[in-house]
Amino acid sequence: MLEQWYNGYVTRIVQETPNTRRFWIQIREKDCFDFKPGQFVTLDLPIHEKKNKRWRSYSIASPPNGTNEIELVIVLLQGGAGTTYLFNEVKEGSELVLKGPLGSFTLPEQLDKELFLICTGTGIAPFRAMAHHIHTHGIPHQPVHLIYGCRQQCDLLYAEEMWQLQDQLSGFKYLPTLSQEDNSWTRHKGYVHLIYEELLALDKRPAYFFLCGWKEMIDEAKQRIMAMGYDRHDIHLELYG
């Protein structure tokens, strides 16, 4: 099957944190851009002659909503050709060539075990889509823990929205943890690993683990989760960089 590329139109851009932007992209060739929460799209950016050096993949941060518009949340990487182009050249009204949806980093058919969604930085994107999807469709679920690591409070993405969701979605816990925050931050401090280890210390319950973010965090989480006695088949990964 030939890969289907689409023209996406940037309808809106919001500077969310000092180095992160939200991009809304409309795929006008489709009435409804259908995908599963957790999937991604690949952009073909005019930054190189070789296509494999032009492609950049980003998780879809919005849940499927029956429209042809999706949201991506992208962090500016110092010296990164892809994000430099997106931040410097792309404006509202710009066109972007993309393909998707792609990937199998998606929720199990039955949410019959506790769900640990563990992420850093923009790795929250697929989990935001998943949490809203569970809420909107009233999907039966065991407790869901969104464990989100950032350096400082100003780096947290979708924080207000996640606190609201914690009030609205039964069994959903939002657990941000900051590694470089000062004493004004009274919630979790340090790294994501301490949180899931603490939650499971007394009772190793059946669980699914979804990990999204930088390779170092994912490698360490995988080792620690397996050291607690979980099977590698319980662990699902989406690597960034």
Side-chain angles (χ1 to χ4, degrees), residues 28-218:
R28 293 178 187 163
E29 291 145 272
K30 294 182 83 70
D31 293 330
C32 168
F33 188 76
D34 201 22
F35 62 94
K36 291 180 176 174
Q39 289 192 299
F40 64 88
V41 292
T42 296
L43 307 182
D44 187 351
L45 303 173
I47 53 175
H48 204 276
E49 286 82 61
K50 290 185 178 166
K51 60 182 180 183
N52 63 335
K53 300 224 170 146
R54 294 198 307 259
W55 292 359
R56 298 290 186 276
S57 296
Y58 300 101
S59 295
I60 302 170
S62 46
N65 59 5
T67 74
N68 60 0
E69 191 170 68
I70 58 171
E71 182 190 328
L72 306 179
V73 60
I74 298 172
V75 63
L76 178 63
L77 297 176
Q78 290 307 320
T83 58
T84 299
Y85 175 82
L86 288 165
F87 275 62
N88 291 350
E89 307 299 329
V90 173
K91 311 277 183 278
E92 291 180 359
S94 295
E95 265 184 65
L96 289 169
V97 176
L98 62 94
K99 67 175 174 177
L102 302 161
S104 55
F105 187 69
T106 53
L107 289 168
E109 287 294 310
Q110 303 284 325
L111 300 182
D112 52 355
K113 302 179 190 176
E114 282 194 35
L115 204 51
F116 287 81
L117 308 175
I118 304 163
C119 58
T120 49
T122 54
I124 192 173
F127 300 150
R128 177 193 184 225
M130 289 175 185
H132 278 297
H133 184 72
I134 291 167
H135 180 230
T136 305
H137 295 278
I139 296 168
H141 61 277
Q142 298 297 312
V144 179
H145 311 271
L146 174 58
I147 303 171
Y148 181 27
C150 281
R151 286 183 182 143
Q152 296 174 305
Q153 203 168 338
C154 63
D155 300 319
L156 290 171
L157 298 164
Y158 307 115
E160 203 172 309
E161 196 181 291
M162 291 301 115
W163 289 122
Q164 276 179 350
L165 199 55
Q166 179 171 271
D167 291 338
Q168 296 163 349
L169 177 57
S170 77
F172 175 73
K173 281 275 182 288
Y174 172 54
L175 300 159
T177 183
L178 303 178
S179 60
Q180 294 178 16
E181 197 47 274
D182 61 23
N183 291 333
S184 65
W185 176 256
T186 55
R187 300 179 187 278
H188 293 281
K189 292 176 184 171
Y191 296 100
V192 291
H193 311 293
L194 303 174
I195 298 183
Y196 60 79
E197 285 179 337
E198 200 175 285
L199 286 168
L200 292 163
L202 301 174
D203 173 17
K204 195 180 79 66
R205 311 180 286 284
Y208 296 112
F209 299 88
F210 281 74
L211 314 175
C212 189
W214 297 108
K215 186 175 184 307
E216 295 76 18
M217 182 280 281
I218 286 182

